[in-house]
Amino acid sequence: MQIAYEDAEAYVKWAGKELPTEAEWEFAARGGLAGAEFAWGDEFTPAGKYMANSWQGEFPWQNLKTDGFEGIAPVGSFPANGYGLYDMAGNVWEWTTDWYQEHGKITQSCCGAVNPRGAEQEKSYDPNTPDVKIPRKVMKGGSYLCAPNYCRRYRPAARMAQPIDTSTCHLGFRCIVRGEGRVSGVEGPGKNVEGRGTSEG
């Protein structure tokens, strides 16, 4: 694991593929359920069944491992979404190509939004650390460290900022192949294509 942004970029270039934009990633994660809270519907554990690798218990001191995993789960351990994609929620975060911008500052458009819709690199720095000029990309999907009492970022709509020079144990990436005007294939099955890594959960 330990995948920094340049590591993911190097791999997809070698593989002849690309990293998704934030919008492409979220579209794929929803699996056709545009209005649902989760990638599989509106109930977190339908019929008591875990649908993604997340944290059970009070984070960070109590890990009940009810879903069967303490850390990263093998790809395919949980059901695929409506597009047949695995691990679009939980397991590990995934890099996107968008520069991070606070949600409220993203320009909204009524007619044909630009993709990607993120910030410019110069506006992606953390305002809490003005002297540290490390740009940040958007990461999506949450990880096995996401718990209801701490964060619910295993939802398709959730997003986090990650400095591009930083790798962690619960951050990875997914490759895509673009067709004309749309994502024609999303590969990975879930939070890792030859690698996984981290960020905040």
Side-chain angles (χ1 to χ4, degrees):
M1 283 162 289
Q2 302 296 328
I3 307 294
Y5 188 75
E6 65 180 12
D7 299 322
E9 275 190 314
Y11 179 86
V12 297
K13 183 177 180 181
W14 170 82
K17 298 177 183 179
E18 298 179 72
L19 294 172
T21 66
E22 180 178 4
E24 288 171 334
W25 189 98
E26 187 169 330
F27 180 86
R30 291 189 177 281
L33 299 177
E37 183 174 5
F38 305 108
W40 54 87
D42 288 315
E43 189 177 347
F44 183 58
T45 52
K49 182 178 181 180
Y50 284 94
M51 303 297 286
N53 184 13
S54 62
W55 186 281
Q56 296 87 54
E58 293 291 315
F59 185 87
W61 64 273
Q62 179 190 50
N63 188 353
L64 299 175
K65 299 177 274 188
T66 313
D67 65 3
F69 299 98
E70 182 173 7
I72 296 172
V75 171
S77 297
F78 297 89
N81 73 2
Y83 293 151
L85 303 174
Y86 292 92
D87 297 323
M88 294 302 293
N91 224 16
V92 300
W93 288 94
E94 296 181 5
W95 287 108
T96 73
T97 59
D98 287 46
W99 295 110
Y100 183 82
Q101 185 169 2
E102 294 297 329
H103 212 67
K105 295 181 179 178
I106 296 174
T107 303
Q108 301 297 320
S109 171
C110 68
C111 315
V114 175
N115 183 28
R117 298 177 64 195
E120 298 170 11
Q121 179 177 337
E122 296 74 26
K123 295 179 181 177
S124 73
Y125 303 126
D126 186 347
N128 296 316
T129 56
D131 296 329
V132 179
K133 296 297 184 185
I134 301 172
R136 302 174 300 160
K137 293 281 188 176
V138 174
M139 59 180 188
K140 298 282 285 181
S143 80
Y144 66 89
L145 295 175
C146 288
N149 74 302
Y150 177 64
C151 78
R152 290 169 24 91
R153 295 194 176 104
Y154 35 67
R155 296 168 293 114
R159 58 201 300 270
M160 283 291 296
Q162 179 73 5
I164 60 171
D165 69 340
T166 305
S167 63
T168 61
C169 65
H170 61 119
L171 173 61
F173 65 101
R174 184 177 302 262
C175 298
I176 68 167
V177 176
R178 289 188 177 92
E180 289 188 31
R182 62 184 180 87
V183 178
S184 61
V186 181
E187 179 186 318
K191 308 297 188 235
N192 92 335
V193 178
E194 300 290 318
R196 306 178 200 168
T198 173
S199 188
E200 192 255 282

